[in-house]
Amino acid sequence: QLQLQESGPGLVKPSETLSLTCTVSGGSISSSSYYWGWIRQPPGKGLEWIGSIYYSGSTYYNPSLKSRVTISVDTSKNQFSLKLSSVTAADTAVYYCARHGTIGVVIIFDAFDIWGQGTMVTVSS
Amino acid sequence: AIRMTQSPSSLSASTGDRVTITCRASQGISSYLAWYQQKPGKAPKLLIYAASTLQSGVPSRFSGSGSGTDFTLTISCLQSEDFATYYCQQYYSYLLTFGGGTKVEIK
C-alpha cells in the first residue's frame, strides 16, 4: 500500500532555509488523480496547510507562507520537497506530507487520505 | 480564507457515550468537508469526507452530517480507542483550512 515518509534536518537555525523531502513508496507520484501536500503542526497547536503540488509541477500555496515557500517534485525519484526560507521560531513544528485527490477545476482538492508519520523541525540557534 | 470553527474545544466523556462535535464554516462550503482523528504523536487519520462519507476501514460508529456552513461528527458509542483530537477541514477553497480541534478526553 502507498506510504509517505518525510526526511530532513530536525534542527534549523533562524534565518536559514528549512528543507524537507517526502518519499512516496508503494505507488507512483505521477498519478493524474492526486496532489501531494505539506501540512504543519506547531507543538500543542492545530494543523496548517502549507501547499500542494501536482506531478506536472503545478503548485498551490497558502498565501500566508507563499513568499517563503517552494514545493517541487522529482518524479524520477518519486519524491516531492518543501523549502521554507527565512525561518523563525514560529516555524517550529511537526511537518507532515500527505496525499489528496484532485476533484476538478473549480473544486480542486479532495481530502487528505494518506499521511506520512511527520517529522519534527525545531528552529533554534 | 474560510474560517473553520469547532466546538467544543474539548469534552470529557465515558466509554459508551454518544459524542457530537460541531464545525462551522465562515461561508458556505457545500459538502466539501473532512473529519480527521489524531492521537498523540501520530499523524491525522481521515475518518469522513464529503461531509458524510465514511473512509474505508473506519468503524460505523462514526458518522458525519451537514452541508453549507454547519457540520457535525458523531461517535455513537465511544470506545477507548476513540479518545483523541478531532479536526474538521474544508476543501471547498484551494486555500485549505482546518478547525482548531476538539479533544475528547476520558471522564
Side-chain angles (χ1 to χ4, degrees), chain A:
Chain A
Q1 65 280 23
L2 193 89
Q3 293 184 315
L4 285 71
Q5 178 69 57
E6 305 88 350
S7 60
L11 181 64
V12 181
K13 289 182 169 56
S15 79
E16 296 190 343
T17 296
L18 178 160
S19 296
L20 296 174
T21 295
C22 182
T23 300
V24 179
S25 59
S28 175
I29 202 171
S30 299
S31 168
S32 60
S33 300
Y34 299 105
Y35 272 83
W36 307 89
W38 288 97
I39 303 98
R40 70 180 183 178
Q41 185 172 37
K45 296 188 177 181
L47 299 160
E48 179 182 35
W49 172 70
I50 300 170
S52 297
I53 191 164
Y54 197 55
Y55 77 94
S56 64
S58 174
T59 53
Y60 289 86
Y61 296 134
N62 189 324
S64 68
L65 297 168
K66 187 175 183 177
S67 64
R68 299 193 291 131
V69 172
T70 302
I71 297 176
S72 59
V73 63
D74 186 336
T75 56
S76 67
K77 295 182 178 179
N78 232 28
Q79 295 176 334
F80 61 108
S81 298
L82 168 70
K83 291 188 185 299
L84 180 65
S85 64
S86 305
V87 297
T88 69
D91 296 310
T92 293
V94 175
Y95 285 75
Y96 296 100
C97 59
R99 183 185 83 169
H100 52 155
T102 175
I103 295 177
V105 176
V106 177
I107 305 297
I108 300 167
F109 299 130
D110 207 334
F112 291 104
D113 63 344
I114 300 176
W115 295 65
Q117 65 184 27
T119 187
M120 180 69 202
V121 178
T122 301
V123 178
S124 175
S125 56

Side-chain angles (χ1 to χ4, degrees), chain B:
Chain B
I2 299 174
R3 182 177 178 85
M4 306 302 293
T5 304
Q6 285 183 238
S7 61
S9 56
S10 66
L11 65 90
S12 296
S14 301
T15 303
D17 284 352
R18 180 182 182 90
V19 168
T20 298
I21 298 168
T22 65
C23 177
R24 175 164 288 175
S26 61
Q27 66 181 74
I29 59 169
S30 186
S31 296
Y32 297 103
L33 184 102
W35 289 98
Y36 301 87
Q37 176 194 67
Q38 186 180 34
K39 296 182 178 180
K42 300 295 187 182
K45 171 189 173 183
L46 178 64
L47 297 177
I48 288 170
Y49 61 96
S52 61
T53 303
L54 211 60
Q55 175 71 346
S56 175
V58 174
S60 59
R61 62 181 179 272
F62 291 93
S63 64
S65 65
S67 68
T69 58
D70 295 315
F71 302 86
T72 61
L73 172 70
T74 299
I75 310 173
S76 60
C77 183
L78 199 65
Q79 301 298 300
S80 57
E81 60 265 33
D82 301 335
F83 292 97
T85 300
Y86 295 84
Y87 293 93
C88 62
Q89 178 230 327
Q90 66 79 21
Y91 48 98
Y92 177 82
S93 165
Y94 88 90
L95 203 182
L96 304 174
T97 49
F98 293 85
T102 296
K103 187 173 184 179
V104 177
E105 300 176 297
I106 301 172
K107 183 181 285 184

